[in-house]
Every structure is written in C-alpha cells, then in structure tokens.
Amino acid sequence: MEMSMVYSLLQPFIPKLLRRVGGIEGLENLPEHGPLIVASNHVSYLEPALLSLLVIQKTDQTVFSIAKIGVWKLFHALGLAGYIGLIPVDPKNKSASIDLCLAKLHDGFPVLIFPEGHRNFEQVLQKGKTGTARLALLSGVPVIPAGYIGPRGGSVVETVRHLTQYGDQIRIRFGTPLHFSRVPAEQLTYEQLQITTGTIMRAIAELSTMPYPYEKEK
C-alpha cells in the first residue's frame, strides 16, 4: 500500500480529528517536500498521532518514528508497522534505530522523534538524549522543533478521553527550522552532540512552555 493510498483512506478523518485540537501554530514552518526531522516533547500517546497527521497532511509522505519494541511488534503482527512508519527500538542495540531513521532521511522521508526518549509526566523537560542531534548532524536535514501543550495521558483510553473532552485545551506549535551543518560520522564529537541537543531542547522548551532546567551545553 503506497502512501497516497494510505493518505486517501485517512483523509476524510484527519480534518475531523484535528478540529478537536484547540490551536495549531506554525504549520508554515513545515516544508511541503523533502526530508525533515520533527522533534517534540512527549507527554501522552496523543501527540505522536497528531504530529504525524499534520506532517502527512502537509507533505503527503509517510512519517517515520521510533517505537518501543512491544508497540512495533503489535502493529507488525497486524501488518501495519510499515504502513504507519514505525521503526522498532532494540533495547540491546538502540543505535540501530537511529541508523534506520538516518536511512529514511536519506530516502527523502520525514522523521518524528522525541529527544527525551519517553513520555514525561513532569512539569519540566527531561534532559535530551543525543539521538536527535546525531540524526541532524549526520544528515544535514533541518530540524523542526515542536511543542505540545495539553493533558498528559498515561494510557491509550485516557488519551482518547482527553482528546474528546479536553481537546480545546490542546495546542501544537511548530517552530522555525533549525539548521545544522552536516558532519561526517568520523568527525562527529561528543561536544557537538551535546551543544546541538541543547539547542534543540531549548527550542522545544520555548514552544511547549516547559522549562529545560539544564545549563547550556558548551
């Protein structure tokens, strides 16, 4: 099933779903074609779906994102993992998922990633992991920071309830693209990863209105 067919099946439902969102800002910051990295905070099961739908709507392309191995296995068993762009994380080899994302970027697809690495129920952002920075620096692809403001969801049922009952409280904000010069893998340093991660996380913090309580990486 090609993306055009998937999109045609989803298209009647996307406007209805997105109308439940209280506000969406910065869609003009999403390119209409070509590879990009969307990096966002992560507080529920809801924002991965909403962010993916918005990128699909703008680019008409599959959006690839990293999923826990259990979630990937579920959708893989249903024959849907490839259609919705899930990339599994192997707990014993986490770098492999970054390599798969990098391959998708090289093929011209968008990638959605959450630099905190997991859902965060705190009122502040967790320290960003360096996977997003690694993707940005190795690919030279622009990073679109995003902020999700809305109810936190600890389960799928709770997340759906939040959308139906509190959708007007949800805000999704896309920031201006962040551009980083491409760095060959053999020249990539830990310092570069830390500095780039800090830049991305501070942009997410501003958009999500969640503090990033870490000193500026130097």
Side-chain angles (χ1 to χ4, degrees):
M1 184 183 295
E2 296 182 354
M3 185 57 216
S4 58
M5 187 180 298
V6 176
Y7 182 66
S8 66
L9 292 173
L10 290 174
Q11 196 170 23
F13 304 99
I14 292 177
K16 295 178 182 179
L17 179 61
L18 295 179
R19 274 200 295 270
R20 292 188 174 275
V21 177
I24 300 170
E25 303 174 24
L27 277 176
E28 68 277 5
N29 292 318
L30 289 173
E32 294 185 359
H33 53 80
L36 65 137
I37 300 167
V38 176
S40 174
N41 61 314
H42 190 15
V43 303
S44 76
Y45 286 106
L46 187 56
E47 70 272 8
L50 292 176
L51 289 167
S52 293
L53 288 176
L54 286 165
V55 177
I56 288 171
Q57 190 177 51
K58 187 68 179 284
T59 67
D60 195 18
Q61 288 183 287
T62 299
V63 181
F64 288 89
S65 59
I66 294 175
K68 291 182 179 179
I69 191 69
V71 174
W72 180 86
K73 285 181 176 179
L74 172 62
F75 283 95
H76 181 70
L78 296 172
L80 297 173
Y83 295 157
I84 58 179
L86 293 184
I87 293 176
V89 175
D90 182 349
K92 297 180 181 179
N93 185 15
K94 293 183 179 180
S95 64
S97 60
I98 296 297
D99 292 338
L100 290 172
C101 286
L102 191 61
K104 295 302 179 183
L105 290 172
H106 285 160
D107 289 340
F109 289 100
V111 166
L112 169 63
I113 194 165
F114 301 97
E116 293 171 283
H118 53 77
R119 282 178 295 138
N120 173 19
F121 302 127
E122 305 298 326
Q123 298 300 317
V124 299
L125 293 174
Q126 300 300 303
K127 187 171 178 62
K129 300 182 183 303
T130 60
T132 307
R134 188 177 299 275
L135 282 178
L137 293 171
L138 291 177
S139 68
V141 167
V143 177
I144 314 297
Y148 174 88
I149 303 169
R152 288 159 169 73
S155 69
V156 175
V157 172
E158 185 179 18
T159 298
V160 172
R161 181 173 62 83
H162 285 160
L163 179 62
T164 56
Q165 296 183 7
Y166 307 110
D168 60 340
Q169 300 176 20
I170 295 173
R171 299 288 185 276
I172 296 175
R173 306 169 69 194
F174 294 98
T176 55
L178 302 174
H179 296 277
F180 304 98
S181 298
R182 186 175 179 275
V183 179
E186 65 275 11
Q187 297 179 18
L188 190 59
T189 66
Y190 177 76
E191 182 180 18
Q192 288 173 316
L193 290 172
Q194 289 294 100
I195 292 173
T196 304
T197 298
T199 300
I200 294 169
M201 292 305 298
R202 285 188 292 276
I204 293 173
E206 182 176 352
L207 293 163
S208 66
T209 68
M210 294 177 67
Y212 187 59
Y214 300 95
E215 292 184 6
K216 184 176 181 180
E217 288 86 351
K218 298 181 180 180

